[in-house]
Amino acid sequence: MSGLRVIPTWRHGQERLYVCLEDGRNIAWYDREAARINLLSADREEDVLEALGRGRSGPARGGRGGGAGPAPRWGGG
């Protein structure tokens, strides 16, 4: 694994999954309602998609860098 953490949050009434580096900096987030991945670091796209593979549900549209197909909904933990 890439050492990334996926943290579920609810902000402004939206459920998002934030992808963070080991030092806590965000490098991407996935908005479940919009099914959209927003990458802050395009060079980590593959790592982000791998980490979010546990957390996305339904098809995703990508912000900077793209998205992938369906993945199981993440249950937390």
Side-chain angles (χ1 to χ4, degrees):
M1 183 80 172
S2 59
L4 299 178
R5 296 182 330 182
V6 177
I7 301 171
T9 63
W10 287 262
R11 189 172 188 172
H12 304 294
Q14 296 179 334
E15 184 178 7
R16 291 185 174 169
L17 300 175
Y18 282 89
V19 181
C20 303
L21 297 170
E22 291 177 343
D23 65 5
R25 289 181 292 150
N26 293 331
I27 61 169
W29 71 89
Y30 174 66
D31 183 330
R32 282 189 165 163
E33 184 176 324
R36 182 171 182 87
I37 298 170
N38 295 282
L39 292 169
L40 300 176
S41 178
D43 62 326
R44 299 292 304 261
E45 178 180 3
E46 290 300 318
D47 294 333
V48 167
L49 291 175
E50 180 182 337
L52 284 173
R54 299 183 308 263
R56 291 186 298 116
S57 61
R61 297 189 319 255
R64 300 173 49 193
R73 186 168 174 89
W74 187 54

